[in-house]
Amino acid sequence: MVLRKKSRQTQRENPMNTIVQKYGGTSMGTIDRIKNVARRIIAKKEQGNRMVVVVSAMGKSTDQLVAMAYAINDRPPKREMDMLLATGEQVSISMLSMALAEMGQKAISFTGPQVGIKTKGVHGRARIMDIDTTKITQALADDSVVIVAGFQGVNENDDITTLGRGGSDTSAVALSCVLHCPCEIYTDVDGIYGVDPRLYPPAKKLDVVSYDEMLEMASLGAGVMHTRSIELGRKYNADITVASSIHDVPGTLITASAAATQKPITGMAVYNDEMMVSIKNVPYDVNISARLFSALAAAGINVDMISQTSPIADRMHISFSASHDDIDALEKALAEFQAAYPQTAVDLREDAVKMSVVGSGMKAHPGVASKFFRLLSAQHFPILMVTTSDIRISCMIPAEARERAVMAVADGFEL
């Protein structure tokens, strides 16, 4: 998406008092919850704000649609999956608009294509390229609350496309960028925690977190925010608040520069839906990695962690991680690679978990890696692969060790 960057001053002033809010599937899960969302919107509007609201599909309806698709076709075409999944948000926007009308508030609902969200890319993983705000500004001028279906848009071929799981976050942040206004993400949790409280109940909520830290955590599997939404927020200086749609408590602010902290680690992310691929006995060739990862990219496979050993006797090992969703395309690409290099051995491990610790503070605190690996080694399980950045350490571990690893690391770093 290409927009003119707004200054911090412009964002703070927000002269038209427009606010973009987003409500997730749990917040929209029942009729009573939809009515609760409607009351929250009206209360915010009565404070003098113009409201644009992005919603996800109700509850588990997206999961139900996916199950129906696979019940009728083991490999449903991705274009038709987008056509199907986009209907979930269409139900939500109409229901919320009806609830607002019943409470005496003018409202109008739009699907992604109707409101002018233009996308590009493969089905199921499209990216927002542009948004035409004409209909939104006209409806706001008419004193209506604008309800927009998240997670979807229309591509250059006029096909409905979806943005991937969590894409409603991206829809909301993108709208806040083009409207130059704050973005509030409401969900079923009170904010962003250092660790998922379902994995580590004593987890502490973060008052503020930087874009860089949140981007790392989101890309590594922390499920509160969609990665692309954080990228947009960082690029266009759009402060994002994440808070509860049920409890009236302060949330977490995601901003350019989080308050200085003495802690080296801000949070931990654990991602279960990733598999580890190891290719052994690969002939040493300066071009071979380019060939392999170009083939994976051409197949639409997103690769995350990558490790390559130094060559010994003109042979090396290459390891990487990829999403379970790509297993069919991955198996085909690996078979083609092995056919070209029959001396290689391929091991695909699905019973692995990616664990990562993130913190801008580790730049100024020596010994973070030492402590991290010491905590894991005390649990007596193998570490399968390691990658790092200046604010992150990630490793693949056996799935059966997940709970022990989370408790040890979270306790050790007081998360």
Side-chain angles (χ1 to χ4, degrees):
M1 196 167 78
V2 179
L3 303 174
R4 179 179 60 84
K5 287 189 179 182
K6 59 183 180 293
S7 68
R8 285 278 170 196
Q9 186 66 26
T10 301
Q11 183 178 337
R12 285 195 300 267
E13 289 173 356
N14 186 22
M16 294 182 290
N17 295 320
T18 302
I19 295 176
V20 173
Q21 292 186 334
K22 178 261 180 176
Y23 292 91
T26 304
S27 304
M28 298 287 294
T30 66
I31 298 301
D32 285 343
R33 289 190 175 185
I34 291 174
K35 290 180 179 178
N36 176 61
V37 168
R39 286 190 287 268
R40 292 175 64 94
I41 293 168
I42 291 172
K44 200 80 169 183
K45 190 174 188 307
E46 288 177 346
Q47 296 173 10
N49 300 299
R50 307 198 309 177
M51 302 300 296
V52 178
V53 182
V54 177
V55 294
S56 300
M58 292 178 63
K60 299 292 184 180
S61 60
T62 299
D63 293 336
Q64 293 166 358
L65 292 171
V66 171
M68 289 170 59
Y70 279 91
I72 203 167
N73 187 328
D74 289 339
R75 295 187 179 184
K78 291 187 176 181
R79 179 187 183 278
E80 304 310 322
M81 283 296 289
D82 276 2
M83 290 286 285
L84 175 66
L85 297 182
T87 64
E89 279 69 24
Q90 190 167 343
V91 172
S92 291
I93 59 174
S94 57
M95 294 287 282
L96 182 56
S97 184
M98 291 176 191
L100 287 164
E102 173 64 19
M103 296 176 187
Q105 172 59 56
K106 289 174 64 176
I108 184 169
S109 64
F110 295 110
T111 66
Q114 283 179 318
V115 86
I117 297 178
K118 307 295 184 183
T119 63
K120 188 174 183 179
V122 299
H123 284 285
R125 293 180 183 165
R127 294 167 70 89
I128 296 175
M129 302 306 294
D130 192 18
I131 301 177
D132 183 347
T133 61
T134 302
K135 287 186 176 181
I136 294 175
T137 54
Q138 288 174 347
L140 291 175
D142 192 38
D143 201 36
S144 291
V145 172
V146 178
I147 314 295
V148 180
F151 176 68
Q152 61 184 249
V154 60
N155 68 11
E156 63 273 20
N157 299 320
D158 289 328
D159 286 333
I160 292 174
T161 57
T162 64
L163 310 179
R165 290 285 184 153
S168 293
D169 292 343
T170 305
S171 302
V173 176
L175 282 166
S176 79
C177 291
V178 297
L179 294 171
H180 306 301
C181 68
C183 184
E184 301 172 351
I185 306 290
Y186 289 100
T187 180
D188 57 345
V189 296
D190 295 339
I192 296 166
Y193 284 75
V195 191
D196 186 339
R198 292 169 297 183
L199 297 176
Y200 184 68
K204 300 176 178 67
K205 187 177 70 177
L206 304 173
D207 294 325
V208 63
V209 62
S210 71
Y211 292 132
D212 288 342
E213 290 172 325
M214 194 64 233
L215 183 58
E216 288 279 12
M217 291 171 66
S219 66
L220 294 166
V224 176
M225 289 290 293
H226 191 252
T227 306
R228 181 57 178 154
S229 65
I230 306 302
E231 292 175 343
L232 286 173
R234 180 174 64 176
K235 182 176 181 179
Y236 296 107
N237 294 326
D239 285 354
I240 304 164
T241 300
V242 180
S244 170
S245 63
I246 300 170
H247 305 119
D248 189 16
V249 295
T252 301
L253 174 66
I254 307 172
T255 187
S257 54
T261 176
Q262 298 301 313
K263 295 179 63 175
I265 298 299
T266 299
M268 174 171 60
V270 180
Y271 192 52
N272 302 315
D273 298 325
E274 199 153 311
M275 50 194 170
M276 177 177 166
V277 178
S278 297
I279 309 175
K280 301 177 181 179
N281 204 36
V282 179
Y284 178 65
D285 181 335
V286 293
N287 298 312
I288 201 164
S289 293
R291 294 187 193 116
L292 170 63
F293 292 107
S294 293
L296 296 175
I301 298 167
N302 282 334
V303 173
D304 182 21
M305 300 173 69
I306 301 175
S307 175
Q308 178 177 307
T309 64
S310 298
I312 299 176
D314 288 329
R315 292 289 184 270
M316 61 184 181
H317 298 337
I318 299 175
S319 299
F320 61 89
S321 61
S323 170
H324 282 289
D325 292 340
D326 291 327
I327 189 166
D328 291 336
L330 181 60
E331 287 179 337
K332 181 180 178 182
L334 290 174
E336 292 173 352
F337 181 82
Q338 201 165 16
Y341 302 97
Q343 69 273 50
T344 60
V346 175
D347 176 43
L348 196 157
R349 181 164 184 166
E350 296 187 64
D351 63 335
V353 168
K354 180 173 64 179
M355 166 182 275
S356 308
V357 290
V358 175
S360 297
M362 70 171 65
K363 296 178 183 178
H365 289 77
V368 175
S370 171
K371 182 175 181 178
F372 177 66
F373 291 116
R374 189 169 65 250
L375 291 167
L376 293 182
S377 67
Q379 301 303 310
H380 305 292
F381 58 78
I383 297 174
L384 308 174
M385 180 166 56
V386 177
T387 60
T388 66
S389 76
D390 58 343
I391 66 168
R392 168 190 55 80
I393 304 171
S394 294
C395 62
M396 296 292 287
I397 62 175
E400 58 87 16
R402 185 188 70 168
E403 284 73 19
R404 287 182 289 144
V406 168
M407 292 297 291
V409 174
D411 283 344
F413 285 105
E414 300 180 353
L415 302 178

